Amino acid sequence: MTKFIYAYTHVGNAKRWKRSTGQTGPFPIKVGETTKPGIGRVKQQLTTAFPGLAGVDILFHSEPAERPDGSSFSDHDVRRILASAGVVSAGGEWVEANLDEVRGAIVSLQTGLPFDPVRINKFGTRKEQKQAVAETAAYFRANEGDEPKYLWNAKMRFGKTFTTYQLAREMGWTKVLVLTFKPAVRSQWREDLLSHVDFAGWRYIDRDTPTTDADALVDGDDPFVWFASFQDVTGRTPDGKPKLRNETLHIVDWDCIVIDEFPFGAATATARELYDPQDPAEAELARVVDKALDQSSDNDADLVAVDFGLSTRCHLHLSGTPFKAITNGEYSEDQVFDWTYIDEQREKQAHVEAGGDNPYASLPRMEMYTYAMGDAAGAWAEDGEFDGFDLNTYFGAERKGDEYVFDHPDHVKSWLDLIRGKKQIKGAIIEGTKPPFPYEASRFTDGVRHSVWFMQDIAACQAMATLLRADTFFSTYEIYVAAGTNAKVGAAALAPARKAIADAVDEGKSGSITLSCGKLMTGVTVPEWSSIFMLRSLKAPESYFQAAFRVQSPWTEAGEILKQTAFIFEFDPNRALSLVALYGTELANNSPDRTITQREVLGELVNFLPIFAIDGGQMERLNTDAILDWAHGGISANSLARKWRSVDLYNLNGVTMGRLLEDPDLIAELEQIEDFRNIREEAERVVTASDKLAATKRAGGSKSEQRKPRSELATQRKSIREKLKKVSAKVLIFMYVTDFREERLHHVIESLDTELFLRATGLSIEGFRKLTDAGVFDVGQMNDAIQKFRYFERKCLEAVR
């Protein structure tokens, strides 16, 4: 029979210890053994010792008492190791310790490793993590000497830090550099390395490591990981040299440079959408990275192209939303490992059906609820600049003196009534069956206990905090503003948020509400967050879902799963469902299965992420057709034409034009077309202008000094774009006359009717494919345009039947 070691104390015991000793810890913990796994034995003891002590808050841990050779150990062995480490006995089975010290003693006996109260984790590697390690290692070994790069396109909670370290073990690396655009991820990289038994012997270096200690570790025999932000790496002294603490970093021959939490292939202005734009420190970080980028900020910038003067054998890139980089050809198919929300939930369901242990059990399912705010809500915003309802306008705020106030406080107060189910916006009473509202329906009780509200800026966060604290209902929640310099920067921003949640629990409040305009939205984990209120207008699905998946972090205590479902509350259905449709497009684009369509991906997505639309007094669970109707419902002939003439369909920058010039056969084919007679010279001018602009920016040139190369670049891009628009229009004609119903750009490229394509466009299928592979045509935007055309076509055909 399996034996378990358990350790526990309870809040009452800890409080009595504090009263009697004046110490907050360590406090008495009981270490015992049992054949009952879980918390059953502890509850049995507490019921005996404290009759009527129901619902007691218990600090509890339980582990199998088995050594590496299969023999068992006892609770006496655990207390013996603790005693040898200086832990004092509190009498009998009780010791004066913290839980991690007890866990460290248990792990030492389970693994045979020396006692370490920090290195207490020994969880295994999941199937997909093993697959990522195997595929990446095989690619690096096959391309050794070429400084290969590899991308993990993996959603949050994949376990990127842990899996990266497993890759390092597999490859035999001893020198790993981790670079990030988001310093808040530092704690995860440190904790995973120092707390897991698999990485015993590894050392960790970051900006807090004294320079002499860092140098000693680099010169030593132990493997090490050096964590740094781009601000550190690109920062220079007045004489142009690296900062003193980073001099060693620049002379190491790294085994691998890992780039974490950077929106690959996205312009830095887009990446900055996830940041607090009024936070000076983070704005400076963005400015520094902009300066390092070897391209114009008007173009799509890829960090891969940045030269920091560092030497490495391999590059590993980590991102949950690198759609643009993949679709624009920055990575080939054999350079990418994918792990999506659909993959995760599919595995979770398969384990449920198979029975037994489920390593995905703690990963919550997501649900989205969209609330139509009504025609009246959008009417006041329609001033000629906006097209219908806009969240940034609705929740717009400004600072007046020492206070922050909403531009339309009555609208926001009505919205607060709406989410409590009191009335619809603008006072329209809901009739008939009442749909669920976040702070009223019982299905959401656990979900809104600790929530994050995603606002557009600091002013909106502060104005909302003022309203909530003055509201009779919402004042029972702990309100924390995670915005501005008062909320701290980088990794330091997490502690105040965690404290606010702890204060809400300790003080018996209804829960907590964190207000953020970007801080804590990437790279950090707040397990208690179980819902997000999307109160700003994000335009990119990458930004939207990176924020939304923040609330999908597991929340467990004492082996109990406390979060089964996480909620997205959305108040601009058209915007949200358009982004869902785009997300489906990008998932389809990046799928290894080239035949899969947006509609098929959306069908599986909504199976694992149900979407409910609340409009007036009705609630409807949306299927794929309904989502596409919402997303494309406003498409007219004019808007479709604008989409196919949009500048977004093309990427015309130094990188894509450079790729074009590297293919003489493609250049030769294009030069046979009248409009592209001078394509070689025009492409060369784009490359030259891009280089000049980048050099001017790197030298710290003023805006006036940048004006000439920027103007030259704009002129050349416009000339090429106008010619490409004609090609796009002809592709549209080809799609209309062909018998095949294309749903994505890949279907066009793989068309069997090559003669028709050549006659329709003047370009061969192979030439068009090369333009796409070079990134000249934006695959994601082209797919969106194709799907809009097909939707419009189907609706027109249905109307005449």
Side-chain angles (χ1 to χ4, degrees), residues 19 52 81 125 136 206 240 257 273 374 378 421 447 539 597 606 685 696 701 709 713 733 783 796:
R19 286 197 301 269
I81 287 181
T125 309
T136 310
D206 64 19
I257 294 179
E273 198 174 293
K539 296 181 180 179
T597 66
V606 298
R685 285 196 283 269
T696 304
L713 181 59
I733 294 171
N783 279 330
C796 290

Side-chain angles (χ1 to χ4, degrees), residues 321-368:
T321 51
F323 301 131
K324 199 174 184 65
I326 297 174
T327 55
N328 288 339
E330 292 171 22
Y331 303 89
S332 61
E333 288 183 22
D334 60 348
Q335 288 178 289
V336 181
F337 173 80
D338 296 296
W339 184 253
T340 68
Y341 172 77
I342 293 175
D343 295 324
E344 169 200 285
Q345 293 295 311
R346 188 190 297 125
E347 285 294 324
K348 179 179 178 179
Q349 183 61 36
H351 277 75
V352 169
E353 294 171 359
D357 292 338
N358 188 345
Y360 308 92
S362 65
L363 295 167
R365 184 176 84 152
M366 301 283 287
E367 292 184 1
M368 176 186 285

Side-chain angles (χ1 to χ4, degrees), residues 410-443:
D410 290 341
H411 291 297
V412 180
K413 290 177 182 178
S414 293
W415 177 82
L416 291 175
D417 286 339
L418 170 72
I419 62 176
R420 289 187 59 203
K422 297 301 180 184
K423 61 179 180 180
Q424 199 174 23
I425 209 70
K426 284 288 187 181
I429 304 299
I430 297 172
E431 299 177 354
T433 303
K434 198 170 188 179
F437 288 90
Y439 285 92
E440 181 197 37
S442 59
R443 70 168 68 184

